[in-house]
């Protein structure tokens, strides 16, 4: 069984996602793992740090910005 993992910049744009789709298309069985799109993990870490430090207002602004990215 082939396991293939993609994330970060390899999923950072629609064009790159189409490239990944071409790579994973196959008649052979495989497992495909997709992680966060480029920049998402950093945003989540920053949101967490703000919440940990008690800065709920800034955390909410960052959450809204991340949400808008995926609208």
């Amino acid at each position: 069984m082939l396991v293939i993992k993609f994330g970060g910049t390899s999923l950072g744009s629609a064009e790159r996602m189409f490239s990944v789709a071409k790579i994973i298309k196959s008649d052979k069985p495989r497992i495909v793992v997709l992680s966060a799109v480029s920049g998402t993990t950093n945003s989540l870490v920053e949101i967490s740090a703000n919440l940990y430090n008690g800065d709920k207002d800034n955390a909410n602004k960052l959450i809204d910005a991340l949400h808008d990215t995926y609208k």
Side-chain angles (χ1 to χ4, degrees), residues 1-4 23-32:
M1 176 71 59
L2 181 63
V3 178
I4 307 171
I23 293 169
I24 64 175
K25 285 183 182 179
S26 173
D27 293 336
K28 297 178 183 177
R30 58 185 63 207
I31 296 173
V32 178

Side-chain angles (χ1 to χ4, degrees), residues 46-66:
E46 188 176 3
I47 290 165
S48 298
N50 277 270
L51 289 171
Y52 180 80
N53 292 324
D55 192 349
K56 291 180 183 178
D57 290 336
N58 197 47
N60 283 323
K61 288 178 188 175
L62 294 168
I63 291 167
D64 290 341
L66 185 59

Side-chain angles (χ1 to χ4, degrees), residues 4-71:
I4 307 171
K5 187 256 183 195
F6 298 94
T9 56
S10 65
L11 299 171
S13 69
E15 182 179 292
R16 289 186 178 263
M17 288 182 193
F18 281 115
S19 296
V20 167
K22 288 178 187 176
I23 293 169
I24 64 175
K25 285 183 182 179
S26 173
D27 293 336
K28 297 178 183 177
R30 58 185 63 207
I31 296 173
V32 178
V33 178
L34 303 175
S35 64
V37 174
S38 181
T40 302
T41 302
N42 292 343
S43 294
L44 293 171
V45 169
E46 188 176 3
I47 290 165
S48 298
N50 277 270
L51 289 171
Y52 180 80
N53 292 324
D55 192 349
K56 291 180 183 178
D57 290 336
N58 197 47
N60 283 323
K61 288 178 188 175
L62 294 168
I63 291 167
D64 290 341
L66 185 59
H67 179 261
D68 289 344
T69 299
Y70 292 102
K71 268 187 169 177

